[in-house]
Amino acid sequence: MKYMNESTIYKKLNDYFSPSFLKVVNESEKHKNHAGSPGTGNSHFYIEIKSEELTKISRLEGQRKIFKILEKEMK
């Protein structure tokens, strides 16, 4: 099983979008007691991204595209 972490997210999004700005922050510590948390320390991430490709679509479409790119890791 492959766990998601900052570097995996950063690499996949950077490779796909070639963004002008990309920031990935692990915020799992803030959510460690939430139901359903896997307890791996890699469950909640904040992503800030600026990409020409994302400016051409709606925010919802952009989120769907990002989730699709990270689909394996999110399972």
Side-chain angles (χ1 to χ4, degrees), residues 8-55:
T8 301
I9 295 168
Y10 190 95
K11 179 168 179 12
K12 285 189 141 191
L13 296 179
N14 192 56
D15 288 352
Y16 189 89
F17 291 108
S18 298
S20 60
F21 179 82
L22 177 58
K23 178 180 179 181
V24 180
V25 178
N26 186 338
E27 295 187 338
S28 300
E29 184 64 26
K30 297 178 183 179
H31 305 273
K32 67 181 178 183
N33 295 321
H34 290 185
S37 177
T40 63
N42 290 306
S43 60
H44 291 77
F45 297 88
Y46 169 81
I47 297 170
E48 194 173 331
I49 184 170
K50 289 184 182 182
S51 169
E52 185 69 32
E53 183 173 341
L54 291 172
T55 63

